[in-house]
Amino acid sequence: MEKFYITTAIAYASRKPHFGNTYEIIMADAFARFQRRMGKDVFLCTGTDEHGQKIENLANEAGITPQKYVDGVAGEIKGIWDLMGVQYDHFIRTTDGYHVDAVKKIFKKFYEQGDIYKGFYEGWYCTPCESFFTATQVVDGKCPDCGRPVSQAREEAYFVKMSNYVDRLIKHIEDNPEFIEPESRKKEMVNNFLKAGLQDLCVSRTSFKWGIPVDFDDRHVVYVWLDALTNYITALGYDPDKSYEEQCEKFKHYWPCDVHIIGKDILRFHTIYWPIFLMALGLPLPKKVFGHPWFNFGNDKMSKSKGNVVFADELASTFGVDAVRYYALSEMPYSQDGSITYESVITRYNNDLANNLGNLVSRTHAMTKKYFGGIVPAPEKTEKIDLDLKAAVERAVRESVRLMDSYHVADSLDEIFTMLRRANKYIDETMPWALAKSEENRSRLATVIYNLLEVIRVAAVLLYPYIPSTAKSIFSQLGTDVTEFESAKKFGSLKSGEPLGEAFTLFARIDEKKFLEEMEKARLEAIKNAENAEKIEAEPEHELEIGIEAFGAVELRVAKILECEPVPKAKKLLKLQVDLGYEKRQVVSGIAKFYTPNELIGKKVILVTNLKPAKLCGVDSYGMLLASGEDDVKVVFLDEGAKVGDRIH
C-alpha cells in the first residue's frame, strides 16, 4: 500500500483549545480518512507541546508542578480530539521520555557538527508565542503574530547557524513549487524572511527551567521550537545516533511526511526552521506544508475579554459532533480567514444538514416504506431527467476527490451538497406522490425512488471522511453494506430487493431565536467573568520601611497545633495549644470563621513567639499565627518536614 503520513501542529498545553485550534485536527482527520478511503496506508500524528516559559508561569500561578499542569491540559486536549471523532494513529507529548532523549541527542549532534554555537540573545520576546523578534518585526511594541505586548530580553543562548542552509532551502522551495501551500504563504516566507536576510535562530534558554535540559550545559534548556518541531520524526522512532539506513522500519516507511497541516501563524517555523533542522540531520524534507487560515469570531479574533471564545465541545453539546465537524470544514476558505458566528452555525445546520441532507434521507426513506413496503425497488424505466441526476452524481464524485487532493476541503464538500440539492430538486420534478396514484406509473416510480436512494448512498460514501457518524447512520437506514469508495464511481451499486433499515432523524432543526438568546446571555456572562479575572487590585497601603534590625527583632518559629477549641461566647476566636519543641503555649486566633478545629489539629504553622501576651475575651494568648487576607483568611501552613521550634528567618 502507498503510505500517507499526515501531521498537525502539536497543540500548546497551556489552555483548553478553542474552536479555531480544534479546526486543524478536524481537517487533518478528514484528509486522513479520505486517504484511507483511497486505499493508502495512513499515519496521522498529533499531540501536545508541553514545555516553555508560559507553562512554567501558569503552573506557578496554579501552585502545582509544570508536569502536573500539562498532564491536566494534555488530557483535556486529547479528550476533545477524541470527542471530535479523530482517528489519530499516534498522540505524542513532548514530555514523553523517548522524545526527550531524542531531542537531547539532536541538540548535541548539531553542536558537535558546528551547526550550533553559544552567544547572547538581546531583543524583543513574546512569552505567549515563545518567540523572539527583531525591532523591525515588532508592531507598536506588540508581537506581530498574536498582538500581545513584547518585552526586552537578554540572556545567554545557543543559536543555529541558519546561513549554513539558507541557499539550499531557497533552491528547494524553487524546485518544489508545491512544498508550501497556499501560494500566497510561499511568497510571504520567501520575500519576508529568506530573501530579507535570515537571522540565526535561538534554540536554548536560561531564564526558565521547564524544558529539556542541554546535556553538556545544564544552565540551558532546549528552546521550545527545536523541541516541538522534532516531534514529527521522534513520533516515528527516529534515533539521531543512527544513519538513515539504520533507522527503524516505521521511520523509514513513513518519512518523509506527506503533509504538515498547520496554522498560518506558525508557517515560518515549519517552512524555514524545520527544513533547516532536517537538512542538518541529513534527512529528506516533508513533501508539503499546508498553512491553513484562522477562524475568527465574525470579524474579530477570539478573545475572552470580548466574550467571543467558542469551544468545539460546547458547540457539540447542542448541535452534535458531526455538525461541528461539518461547519468547521465547510466554512473555512482555502486561503482566506474563516468566520464563525452563532447565526452562521445555525444557518449551516438548518439549511445544509437538517434540510438538504436530513430531509432528503427522511423523505426518501418514508416514500420507500409507503410505496414499496420498505424494500429497495429495482429501476425499470429511465428518462432524460434521470441521466441529468446521474451526471450530477458523477461530477460530485470526480470533483470532490480532485478538490480534496488539492486541500480545498470546503469546495469539496460544496460539490457533494450541490449533488444533494440536485436530488431534492429531482423530487420536485418527478413528483413521486403523483406517480404513486397510478399503477401504470409504478415502474417509473420504482426508478425515481431507486435513484434517490442511490444518490443518498453515494453521498454517504463521499461524506464519510467529513462526517463519519452521519455517513454510518445513513448506511444503516439504507440497510446497505456497499460502502467502499469505489462503489461511488458506478451509479447503481445499491442492491434492489433488500429491506431498508430503521429510520431516525439525522439532524433536528434548531430554534434560532431561542438559541441566540441563550448564547447572548452566555456571552455577557463570559465578558463579566473575564473583566473580574483581569481586574488589577488597587495597591494596598504600606507600613513604614524598617531596617533589618527591626525585622530581626520579630521572632518567628515553627509550631505544631496540638489542640484546638472554640472560645465560649466568641464567634471569631479559636483557642489553640501549640508545641514549640522546647515548650507548649496557648494562643488565641480570630480564624473561627475560616477553619474548624479538626482542620487545624496536627498542622505546622508560623508563630510570632516574642509578642507581648494579650487577653482576648478573657482568654490569655501568648503569640500570634501568621495568616494572609482580610475577608478570606488563609493560615500559612508549613511542610510536614519543618522541625518544630526552628527559627524562621
Side-chain angles (χ1 to χ4, degrees), residues 589-591 594-595 605-608 624-630 632-637:
S589 182
I591 56 175
F594 310 100
Y595 296 93
V605 295
I606 299 175
L607 186 70
V608 181
M624 182 174 67
L625 302 186
L626 290 196
S628 65
E630 300 291 340
D632 184 20
V633 173
K634 299 293 183 183
V635 172
V636 179
F637 294 117

Side-chain angles (χ1 to χ4, degrees), residues 227-490:
D227 171 9
L229 289 166
T230 51
N231 91 89
Y232 303 126
I233 53 177
T234 63
L236 297 177
Y238 174 72
D239 185 345
D241 289 341
K242 296 179 180 178
S243 67
Y244 185 82
E245 293 71 21
E246 295 172 325
Q247 297 297 327
C248 66
E249 290 304 314
K250 184 177 182 180
F251 178 81
K252 288 191 292 184
H253 176 61
Y254 287 111
W255 193 261
C257 181
D258 290 86
V259 62
H260 292 309
I261 304 292
I262 55 134
K264 66 177 184 178
D265 53 322
I266 53 174
L267 196 66
R268 171 166 54 107
F269 303 98
H270 285 78
T271 59
I272 297 177
Y273 304 140
W274 176 225
I276 286 177
F277 294 163
L278 290 169
M279 288 176 179
L281 290 171
L283 295 177
L285 271 55
K287 296 177 182 179
K288 187 188 299 295
V289 180
F290 181 76
H292 64 76
W294 288 340
F295 250 118
N296 296 323
F297 188 88
N299 295 320
D300 299 322
K301 286 186 177 181
M302 293 187 191
S303 166
K304 287 185 179 180
S305 62
K306 295 179 181 178
N308 63 3
V309 179
V310 180
F311 296 103
D313 56 335
E314 294 175 4
L315 277 180
S317 66
T318 299
F319 297 96
V321 169
D322 271 11
V324 174
R325 287 177 63 104
Y326 174 74
Y327 183 86
L329 297 171
S330 63
E331 195 71 20
M332 178 69 85
Y334 173 70
S335 60
Q336 302 300 316
D337 286 349
S339 172
I340 179 173
T341 63
Y342 290 120
E343 290 86 351
S344 64
V345 171
I346 295 173
T347 298
R348 281 277 187 186
Y349 179 91
N350 283 341
N351 291 351
D352 292 359
L353 297 177
N355 286 354
N356 196 7
L357 175 59
N359 195 38
L360 174 65
V361 173
S362 177
R363 292 171 71 189
T364 304
H365 194 287
M367 288 190 292
T368 307
K369 187 173 182 180
K370 181 177 181 180
Y371 303 139
F372 296 97
I375 304 298
V376 178
E380 298 178 26
K381 189 176 181 181
T382 299
E383 296 182 0
K384 181 180 181 303
I385 196 172
D386 304 330
L387 300 178
D388 293 341
L389 179 66
K390 292 177 183 178
V393 173
E394 290 170 0
R395 174 186 166 84
V397 174
R398 181 180 67 253
E399 290 301 302
S400 66
V401 170
R402 180 184 67 82
L403 290 163
M404 275 297 273
D405 275 334
S406 61
Y407 299 93
H408 289 73
V409 59
D411 296 324
S412 177
L413 261 176
D414 189 56
E415 290 289 339
I416 301 170
F417 274 78
T418 297
M419 176 189 71
L420 292 171
R421 284 189 288 272
R422 181 66 188 88
N424 279 298
K425 184 179 178 182
Y426 177 79
I427 294 177
D428 296 333
E429 293 170 333
T430 57
M431 296 188 294
W433 52 89
L435 294 173
K437 293 178 180 179
S438 172
E439 185 63 29
E440 64 184 37
N441 290 326
R442 187 164 181 78
S443 61
R444 178 62 190 147
L445 177 62
T447 301
V448 169
I449 296 299
Y450 179 86
N451 287 344
L452 288 170
L453 291 170
E454 177 66 346
V455 170
I456 291 169
R457 187 195 66 81
V458 171
V461 170
L462 298 180
L463 286 171
Y464 179 78
Y466 314 88
I467 46 176
S469 295
T470 300
K472 291 177 182 178
S473 295
I474 293 173
F475 293 140
S476 172
Q477 293 196 50
L478 294 178
T480 183
D481 58 1
V482 185
T483 62
E484 66 278 3
F485 176 77
E486 286 300 312
S487 70
K489 296 179 180 180
K490 183 181 178 182

